[in-house]
Amino acid sequence: MEITQSEGVVKQNLGIETAPHLKARLTTPKIMGIVLLSLLPALAMMIFFFGMGVVWQFIICAITAIICEGLVAILRHRKVIHALSDLSYLVTALILAMTLPPLLPVYYSIVATIFAIIVVKSVFGGLGHNIFNPAMAGFIFVVISCPQVMGDTWISPAPAAFKEASLNNTFKVIFEGADNTKLKNQIDALHFTDNSSDNDEILVQADLFSKLDSFTGATFLEMAKTQRKTGSLHEMAHHDFTSSQYVAYLALAIALTLGGLVLIAFRLILIKMVLTFFVSLFIFSFVLSYYFPGYFMPPVDTFLFGGTMLAAFFIITDPVTNAGTSKGRVYFAILCAFLIVILRAFGSYSDAVAFAVMLSNAAAPLIDTLTRRRSFGASFFKLGADK
């Protein structure tokens, strides 16, 4: 409050500030910093199993996001330092880098980040006002625009993939446009370099480079896409998550769970929303895969493949783009789980997590309206009107 005196009249000017008026210990930069730190275990697993291309993708997305945030701040006549202090753009850049293919050329990653930061986030008013999740929107924009490039730049995970997919080798593919086929073949060969003396494995390794390029670097969801379109998904060979070919998905799920537990410990996300998502996903996938095994994946595959675990802890729990009411967040998680299962079975793309999240974001305002709490005294006035 400011007291001024003019012509013998004392005036009290009450200062007006935007909400919140109660300052919390966890500020926006601190929250974003905790989210970044909680993603580090998953990032380390991705580097180990998918190579150093993930690091280049994060660097590209982070630099592009910083430039976009600074440009938007200048256009809005705001301080650039203040705009860059919340660190939300780095969270978007990291999640986007973890969802993009590790060998995606640099200009595609730049376009995806520009779309995420400027179009999806800033056009709607910036942090706290965006309707859709920026990272998922940027990913979908590139997937729909360039599906072949996205499919050709995936890497089939392998233990110690960073040895072949080093900073130098991935730099040549991402920035210089070198052919990625040889690099993906070298990563695939790591599955057979376990110092075994088995002659069959030696022959397979020697014959590895003669395989068709269409199968090189293909992920499980890419291979399953053709099978589910013909209704023969159940005919695919069963996989062992302890083998070198699939242990990456189990390790990544564990790393994301550890990061999610950190967010729960700091009360940054609602545990009931995460549990509702997991329970709903299990029920939908179990029931549908039991009755229609040719189209729907079993629960284990639904959880471990694709971006399901990332979505559970770091995407659907975004307080800006999910529902605003307590009941609404539960319904939001159920809707997202249902869409993931359905779109994976009948969608045209290998993974449906991003599409399910975007559709759920679009439904969030309707969910808020349907689950809005009764205003205090509403029933009293209604009874009074009836009299």
Side-chain angles (χ1 to χ4, degrees):
M1 182 175 64
E2 182 181 359
I3 301 176
T4 60
Q5 183 175 358
S6 177
E7 298 179 357
V9 179
V10 178
K11 297 181 179 180
Q12 296 180 354
N13 298 325
L14 298 177
I16 299 176
E17 295 183 1
T18 58
H21 302 290
L22 297 177
K23 303 297 182 181
R25 293 183 179 180
L26 284 177
T27 60
T28 300
K30 290 181 179 179
I31 293 174
M32 297 301 170
I34 294 173
V35 175
L36 287 172
L37 292 176
S38 61
L39 281 170
L40 290 183
L43 180 62
M45 290 296 100
M46 291 198 68
I47 293 174
F48 182 80
F49 289 102
F50 292 89
M52 300 300 293
V54 181
V55 177
W56 286 123
Q57 296 298 334
F58 175 59
I59 293 174
I60 296 168
C61 294
I63 294 176
T64 306
I66 292 173
I67 296 174
C68 291
E69 288 281 357
L71 179 61
V72 171
I74 293 174
L75 293 176
R76 290 183 173 177
H77 304 286
R78 297 178 179 177
K79 293 182 179 180
V80 177
I81 299 298
H82 179 72
L84 298 178
S85 62
D86 58 37
L87 302 181
S88 61
Y89 56 93
L90 289 182
V91 175
T92 300
L94 182 54
I95 294 178
L96 186 58
M98 294 174 66
T99 54
L100 291 175
L103 300 180
L104 188 68
V106 57
Y107 35 86
Y108 292 100
S109 304
I110 293 175
V111 170
T113 309
I114 292 175
F115 184 83
I117 298 297
I118 294 183
V119 178
V120 180
K121 178 183 175 182
S122 300
V123 168
F124 287 94
L127 180 64
H129 300 280
N130 49 288
I131 301 175
F132 301 102
N133 185 281
M136 295 296 95
F139 174 79
I140 289 178
F141 180 75
V142 180
V143 166
I144 295 177
S145 303
C146 316
Q148 183 176 358
V149 176
M150 293 286 287
D152 292 341
T153 51
W154 283 111
I155 290 178
S156 181
F162 66 92
K163 294 181 180 179
E164 298 295 339
S166 60
L167 285 174
N168 184 47
N169 292 338
T170 53
F171 180 88
K172 293 178 180 178
V173 175
I174 296 173
F175 292 92
E176 298 179 358
D179 186 18
N180 58 29
T181 303
K182 181 179 179 181
L183 180 58
K184 291 193 291 185
N185 283 331
Q186 292 173 344
I187 296 174
D188 288 338
L190 294 174
H191 292 296
F192 306 97
T193 55
D194 58 352
N195 298 323
S196 174
S197 59
D198 186 37
N199 292 329
D200 293 337
E201 290 191 354
I202 297 176
L203 293 176
V204 171
Q205 180 181 357
D207 188 57
L208 184 63
F209 294 99
S210 63
K211 290 184 177 180
L212 294 176
D213 293 342
S214 59
F215 292 98
T216 302
T219 62
F220 173 81
L221 292 178
E222 282 290 332
M223 294 183 291
K225 182 171 64 174
T226 304
Q227 297 293 118
R228 61 179 171 80
K229 284 185 177 180
T230 58
S232 57
L233 184 62
H234 59 289
E235 297 179 1
M236 291 188 65
H238 295 284
H239 36 265
D240 181 11
F241 285 101
T242 61
S243 64
S244 62
Q245 189 174 2
Y246 296 105
V247 70
Y249 301 104
L250 181 60
L252 185 58
I254 294 174
L256 289 170
T257 303
L258 292 176
L261 293 177
V262 172
L263 299 183
I264 294 174
F266 281 95
R267 297 183 178 180
L268 299 183
I269 61 176
L270 293 177
I271 187 172
K272 69 176 182 179
M273 189 175 185
V274 177
L275 292 178
T276 300
F277 176 77
F278 282 145
V279 172
S280 303
L281 195 66
F282 176 82
I283 293 175
F284 291 140
S285 59
F286 178 80
V287 173
L288 292 175
S289 64
Y290 180 81
Y291 288 101
F292 309 99
Y295 295 96
F296 295 92
M297 292 188 297
V300 175
D301 295 353
T302 303
F303 278 95
L304 297 183
F305 290 116
T308 304
M309 300 300 293
L310 180 65
F313 293 107
F314 296 94
I315 298 178
I316 69 169
T317 55
D318 179 13
V320 177
T321 56
N322 68 14
T325 63
S326 180
K327 290 183 180 179
R329 290 171 182 171
V330 173
Y331 297 147
F332 182 92
I334 296 174
L335 175 62
C336 191
F338 176 75
L339 290 175
I340 288 176
V341 175
I342 294 298
L343 293 179
R344 275 186 176 175
F346 303 107
S348 300
Y349 298 92
S350 57
D351 197 6
V353 171
F355 293 93
V357 170
M358 291 281 286
L359 290 173
S360 300
N361 293 156
L366 177 60
I367 295 175
D368 286 340
T369 302
L370 297 176
T371 58
R372 185 171 51 191
R373 294 180 61 184
R374 176 180 60 84
S375 300
F376 181 76
S379 298
F380 173 81
F381 286 116
K382 184 177 181 181
L383 291 174
D386 293 338
K387 291 181 181 179

